[in-house]
Amino acid sequence: MKKTKLAIIGGGPGGYAAAFLASDLGLEVTLIDKAKNPGGVCLYRGCIPSKALLHIAKLIEESKEAKKWGITFAEPEIDIKKLRRFKDKVVAKLTGGLGMLVKQRKISYIQGTAKFINSTKLSIEKTDGSMEELEFGKAILATGSVPTKIPAFALDSKRIMDSTSALELEDIPKKLLVLGGGYIGLEMGSVYSALGSDVTVVEMMPSLLPGADKDLVDVLSRTLKKKFSQILLNTKVVELKETAEGIAVKFEGENVKEAEQVFDKVLISVGRSPVTKGLGLENTSVTITERGFVSVDEKCKTSDANIFAIGDIVGGAMLAHKASAEGKVAVESVAGHKVAFEPAAIPAVVFTDPELAWTGLTENEAAEQGIKVEVVRFPWAASGRSTTLDRTDGLTKLIIEPKTERVLGMGIVGPSAGELIAEGTLAVEMAATVKDVALTIHPHPTLSETVMESAEMFFGQSTHIYKPKKI
Ligand code: FAD
């Protein structure tokens, strides 16, 4: 039987980052994934293909906007096959690159599906159909998540999509319903809307992006209302039925004007569920939480002394960078280093246009947890750079602990919010005070100045906004 010191099951951003660090630390490691190369959901059917398509969506939208500035382009002609090829090429390039890094690091890579026989052995069904057993010293479970299915809506129809099939871009439906106003629904809705679909978003909560601060969401909603034909909040879908014309959808909610509407396609994006079934976890001492995630401690160790778990399968922020960060902690734990996964801030980005991002404590969380905070907001109407971009719709805000003046969180809505939020994450992690941020010289003219000026606002001294501090 083959033996390995460390077996990593799942080659997503959690698993491959863990495998690469393990190799860099000199540990002998085996990485197992179903695909030819690592990448997981993030690279094959998540972050990367969606961002490639969102890049195109932004280009289309901007080409229309350009009319205002005296540049008129003809209506875009969309070659969907070529667009699909571009997205597939991006995925192939990046996953192929990861495959090369596996070889360079001399990681043993097994393409197949792994299952625990017990706490020291895996059985692997390889993609070529053969079976292999692998004995391990330690294992890291990184099997990720899949789109959540609602049994009542699981129609066997090509008109029903999840995020994976939506990314395949089979066609551009005339009328698309996006069921779920979370980030995946809004991102994919933005793609299809730019490509020409008439998009309706339905969300049962009172706001899009439930969880994100309202002032940020309001800015995004204003733009999305112009792009999407309907945004139905506080509204439930109670029935989906396939008819000859399409999918007949019944809505229930306070403000529903048309309780039954027909759509060419429906994208169901109501969340993601951890992959814990079929792994043979019952043959180990790994335990599952009430919500179905694998329970782990701060070292990413499960209740089985030999098995660690990371990424979407352990819940929390189900994001690629969180998975990678946990992967590194798990590997260092295996290597015997003194580490813990205790981030002060995990950034979250919604790659719509405008982008929306936050990090650290949000205003919602402060209110829920009874934490007293002071919030300062810098409207992008006062930013030189946003004016040059004709994008003054943004907002940068800081969440500050009044007594210590420490930055506890940051929120941004506006183009490039996803790039800008990294500064907030660093500020929170380094326990920066709002003075530190205000005194840091930022390049001009950039959107990053909005971070500095929001810090200046705390003192009533923002250069471009006259708002003296009330004493
Ligand atoms: P995954 O990426 O889910 O990888 C798990 C891997 O394990 C898969 O390859 C799977 O095939 C493999 N596997 C499962 N079971 C077995 C088994 N028994 N044996 C062997 N292999 C197995 N996150 C962001 O941070 N930013 C974004 O912009 C973003 N956009 C997204 C857009 C979409 C449309 C979607 C769906 C997700 C997006 N995410 C984004 C979320 C991100 O993709 C996940 O958080 C991330 O991929 C989780 O990483 P992971 O390592 O936990 O697992």
Side-chain angles (χ1 to χ4, degrees):
M1 188 192 298
K2 272 198 182 166
K3 285 187 183 175
T4 186
K5 287 242 160 59
L6 176 61
I8 300 179
I9 305 135
Y16 81 73
F20 291 3
L21 179 64
S23 158
D24 294 346
L25 293 176
L27 296 173
E28 187 273 316
V29 53
T30 303
L31 178 61
I32 308 143
D33 192 278
K34 298 175 189 183
K36 183 167 169 250
N37 286 311
V41 168
C42 173
L43 277 90
Y44 285 102
R45 46 196 177 272
C47 327
I48 295 297
S50 60
K51 265 81 256 181
L53 295 178
L54 279 158
H55 167 65
I56 307 296
K58 190 159 186 234
L59 184 74
I60 296 173
E61 299 291 358
E62 281 189 339
S63 71
K64 288 184 198 153
E65 287 278 302
K67 207 172 177 178
K68 283 198 297 196
W69 313 314
I71 315 286
T72 305
F73 293 100
E75 269 299 299
E77 273 177 41
I78 295 164
D79 181 340
I80 195 164
K81 271 194 198 146
K82 217 165 165 181
L83 179 53
R84 218 182 287 135
R85 226 178 295 142
F86 161 68
K87 172 208 56 151
D88 292 343
K89 257 169 82 179
V90 171
V91 170
K93 183 166 192 254
L94 292 174
T95 51
L98 290 177
M100 270 164 52
L101 288 168
V102 163
K103 287 196 184 93
Q104 284 170 349
R105 286 185 159 95
K106 301 195 170 41
I107 292 167
S108 147
Y109 188 81
I110 302 177
Q111 191 183 352
T113 304
K115 191 177 170 174
F116 287 97
I117 298 172
N118 57 38
S119 299
T120 55
K121 263 186 228 135
L122 287 170
S123 117
I124 302 167
E125 186 182 349
K126 294 213 225 165
T127 319
D128 63 12
S130 63
M131 296 297 292
E132 184 172 313
E133 285 194 5
L134 182 69
E135 196 176 317
F136 58 84
K138 300 280 180 214
I140 299 177
L141 194 52
T143 48
S145 65
V146 287
T148 301
K149 284 201 165 64
I150 302 177
F153 299 159
L155 307 184
D156 183 20
S157 163
K158 282 202 116 184
R159 293 182 186 272
I160 303 284
M161 301 189 287
D162 60 14
S163 57
T164 308
S165 45
L167 283 166
E168 279 161 19
L169 216 64
E170 198 180 286
D171 58 9
I172 303 167
K174 245 176 129 184
K175 273 188 85 181
L176 170 71
L177 174 69
V178 175
L179 204 166
Y183 83 94
I184 293 178
L186 298 186
E187 288 184 1
M188 291 314 298
S190 299
V191 168
Y192 277 96
S193 153
L195 293 176
S197 294
D198 176 296
V199 175
T200 294
V201 176
V202 56
E203 167 59 54
M204 63 184 216
M205 301 299 279
S207 161
L208 295 174
L209 298 173
D213 283 349
K214 187 176 176 306
D215 51 355
L216 303 176
V217 177
D218 283 349
V219 174
L220 173 62
S221 295
R222 273 199 290 277
T223 309
L224 291 183
K225 271 183 196 152
K226 289 182 214 149
K227 286 185 189 161
F228 298 163
S229 71
Q230 308 175 82
I231 298 179
L232 307 171
L233 301 175
N234 280 317
T235 306
K236 261 187 178 168
V237 169
V238 288
E239 192 183 280
L240 294 184
K241 215 165 63 191
E242 183 154 29
T243 66
E245 289 77 41
I247 303 286
V249 183
K250 271 193 192 154
F251 298 103
E252 217 174 75
E254 301 157 17
N255 306 312
V256 176
K257 290 198 188 98
E258 268 185 89
E260 197 164 338
Q261 297 181 37
V262 179
F263 295 88
D264 297 296
K265 282 200 166 176
V266 176
L267 161 61
I268 300 182
S269 51
V270 290
R272 298 190 57 83
S273 308
V275 176
T276 50
K277 294 218 169 72
L279 294 175
L281 294 181
E282 62 285 359
N283 305 327
T284 69
S285 311
V286 170
T287 55
I288 305 285
T289 65
E290 261 174 30
R291 299 193 52 219
F293 295 101
V294 171
S295 45
V296 285
D297 64 12
E298 73 290 350
K299 291 185 173 354
C300 301
K301 194 189 258 178
T302 67
S303 21
D304 190 310
N306 283 341
I307 304 171
F308 292 72
I310 57 169
D312 282 8
I313 197 177
V314 304
M318 291 168 84
L319 295 169
H321 41 277
K322 195 271 296 184
S324 303
E326 284 174 337
K328 291 172 186 167
V329 168
V331 165
E332 292 211 49
S333 303
V334 170
H337 301 173
K338 205 171 164 223
V339 282
F341 184 71
E342 288 171 340
I346 301 177
V349 182
V350 185
F351 290 84
T352 40
D353 186 19
E355 292 181 357
L356 191 152
W358 67 90
T359 195
L361 190 72
T362 64
E363 212 176 336
N364 285 350
E365 285 166 349
E368 277 160 24
Q369 296 165 27
I371 301 171
K372 202 167 167 268
V373 291
E374 193 168 328
V375 181
V376 283
R377 292 180 183 80
F378 182 82
W380 284 21
S383 150
R385 184 63 180 130
S386 66
T387 309
T388 65
L389 300 170
D390 199 8
R391 289 301 301 264
T392 51
D393 50 337
L395 176 76
T396 299
K397 73 191 247 191
L398 291 178
I399 291 142
I400 298 152
E401 188 172 54
K403 229 167 130 191
T404 60
E405 298 189 353
R406 264 182 59 182
V407 178
L408 300 181
M410 185 189 285
I412 308 181
V413 59
S416 304
E419 307 289 337
L420 297 167
I421 204 68
E423 180 179 2
T425 310
L426 187 67
V428 177
E429 279 292 352
M430 302 299 288
T433 64
V434 65
K435 195 78 186 171
D436 292 326
V437 179
L439 287 178
T440 303
I441 299 175
H442 286 66
H444 177 75
T446 63
L447 297 170
S448 73
E449 287 169 297
T450 67
V451 175
M452 175 184 69
E453 292 226 27
S454 59
E456 288 174 347
M457 286 199 72
F458 180 78
F459 304 102
Q461 295 164 0
S462 154
T463 309
H464 297 98
I465 287 191
Y466 179 64
K467 200 172 175 200
K469 187 147 178 128
K470 287 189 200 112
I471 302 164

